Amino acid sequence: RLWEVWRTTTGIGLDPTGVESISSKLQAAINTLTLSTEGPSSIYFPRGVYRITTAIKPKHNVSLYGYCRDRTIFRPVGVEGAFEFKEGATSTYLENCVFANFAVDGQNQTLSVNGFYNVGAKAFYIQRFRNCLFTDLNIYDTGATGMGIDYSDGSIIQRVIVRRGGRLAQVGDLGGSGIGIGTGEKAAEPLIISDCITESCRNYGVFMEDQG
């Protein structure tokens, strides 16, 4: 696959030290690139820690690549997740995206101000995705499920490591696991999960749930 448009975090002006939030600048870049007429786009993140204070909303045809899964780290804070796509309409899918070679560190995710567990405190919270690839990712210490993504169409999850997913959940709370896949909206929802590892997650390592 040829990615014709590339951007780096230097050009976008993202702070790689973990001090300033990247949420607004990164979202603005994604919103612009998804409208590109030059072809699919990719954003490359060099080594660093990237603070997320409002969940990033992925868009069609915009992929995110890190330097490697141990050196490019996204760190969501508070009750926020890192990447979230929930359009509501059953016909709206996130399409043609790659998420590769980075980590999501949920150590700064918290309970709500009222002390309630938030099922959205994930690394990935995506509903309806088509022709997407999640590969070579580290996810650890997320408040809720590390990767909670629903209703696939022709996508792949591979070489993903999740440790201590559901850190803020009690046993039996919704989600609170490593990788959780919602199914049942359509008769066929093809998805390949391969070469993944989950360790010390609150409820399950990998689970599938009929949400139809």
Side-chain angles (χ1 to χ4, degrees), residues 129 131 151-156 187-192:
F129 54 104
N131 193 27
Y151 314 132
S152 170
D153 185 5
S155 295
I156 298 173
E189 296 171 339
L191 173 67
I192 295 173

Side-chain angles (χ1 to χ4, degrees), residues 7-152:
R7 297 292 184 272
T8 68
T9 55
T10 303
I12 298 170
L14 304 184
D15 175 24
T17 69
V19 175
E20 295 182 6
S21 173
I22 67 167
S23 292
S24 60
K25 290 181 180 179
L26 178 56
Q27 191 64 65
I30 291 172
N31 293 349
T32 298
L33 289 171
T34 194
L35 300 175
S36 172
T37 59
E38 300 178 58
S41 303
S42 296
I43 301 175
Y44 170 70
F45 297 80
R47 288 177 287 188
V49 176
Y50 298 91
R51 179 181 175 89
I52 295 175
T53 52
T54 301
I56 303 302
K57 182 178 180 180
K59 295 291 184 72
H60 313 306
N61 299 316
V62 181
S63 295
L64 307 181
Y65 289 86
Y67 173 80
C68 75
R69 66 161 97 211
D70 294 320
R71 294 292 182 264
T72 298
I73 302 170
F74 293 100
R75 189 168 287 164
V77 301
V79 297
E80 292 290 335
F83 303 100
E84 183 175 303
F85 181 89
K86 297 188 300 176
E87 291 295 303
T90 58
S91 60
T92 304
Y93 279 71
L94 175 67
E95 299 189 50
N96 307 324
C97 294
V98 177
F99 303 90
N101 306 330
F102 60 78
V104 178
D105 173 8
Q107 66 173 302
N108 291 332
Q109 291 176 317
T110 64
L111 298 172
S112 72
V113 293
N114 296 320
F116 294 116
Y117 166 67
N118 175 24
V119 297
K122 303 175 180 179
F124 292 93
Y125 191 6
I126 295 175
Q127 292 184 334
R128 303 178 191 91
F129 54 104
R130 176 178 292 130
N131 193 27
C132 291
L133 171 63
F134 304 83
T135 185
D136 297 286
L137 303 171
N138 280 358
I139 299 170
Y140 47 90
D141 294 319
T142 50
T145 296
M147 177 175 284
I149 57 179
D150 308 327
Y151 314 132
S152 170

